[in-house]
Amino acid sequence: MTDPECVFCRIIAGQIPAKVLFENEEAIAFLDIAPFEPGHALVVPKMHAALFTELPDSVLSHLMPLVKRVASLLLERLPCDGFNILQNNGRCATQVVPHVHFHVVPRWNGRAINWISGAYASAEEMESVYRKLTAAAGV
């Protein structure tokens, strides 16, 4: 399944040029044109799906080895001190292109992301969330 209006589907189809790093039967990895850091790459399934939860496990099984391969490439060839793997779902999660994709971002010591942790308002709030999540899953 593809979406002719989707920029990633158009890259996959060869209609938009990209700096492709790797490709397999189910996914493609290429440099992001608006990188957070030089070497920032995207790993994209060839099947169009807006959200991670919409992808079949068979497609996901081809994505993660490619994510790992890109991360290893960044560590070896840039080289970088580490990397972030980010995957956003929905506008509220800052997903800009509504096609599943993983960001593999090289990182260097001294250039940190400002990750500001939050907190539950109370132990009761955490317990309530926990109950909602485990009741549905049968945990």
Side-chain angles (χ1 to χ4, degrees):
M1 177 170 106
T2 62
D3 178 349
E5 302 299 315
C6 172
V7 66
F8 291 165
C9 288
R10 294 180 67 208
I11 288 171
I12 292 161
Q15 298 168 348
I16 296 175
K19 299 294 185 187
V20 176
L21 301 173
F22 298 112
E23 187 170 2
N24 65 31
E25 61 203 38
E26 298 289 343
I28 187 170
F30 52 88
L31 291 178
D32 193 317
I33 63 167
F36 185 74
E37 294 281 4
H40 175 172
L42 301 175
V43 178
V44 181
K46 290 182 177 179
M47 176 186 178
H48 182 83
L51 302 175
F52 179 81
T53 52
E54 296 172 353
L55 286 175
D57 290 349
S58 60
V59 173
L60 289 172
S61 69
H62 290 271
L63 279 175
M64 294 318 293
L66 199 53
V67 170
K68 180 181 176 184
R69 192 170 175 194
V70 169
S72 295
L73 181 70
L74 298 179
L75 287 170
E76 178 186 325
R77 300 276 178 91
L78 287 179
C80 54
D81 300 317
F83 56 89
N84 291 109
I85 297 172
L86 306 166
Q87 203 282 313
N88 307 320
N89 291 271
R91 280 188 193 267
C92 65
T94 69
Q95 182 181 16
V96 176
V97 178
H99 184 127
V100 174
H101 56 287
F102 288 83
H103 297 263
V104 187
V105 183
R107 304 297 308 181
W108 288 269
N109 290 326
R111 290 170 35 181
I113 293 177
N114 292 325
W115 186 289
I116 300 169
S117 297
Y120 287 101
S122 64
E124 292 78 20
E125 180 188 28
M126 185 178 186
E127 181 65 25
S128 174
V129 170
Y130 173 75
R131 285 187 188 153
K132 285 178 187 176
L133 294 174
T134 57
V139 175

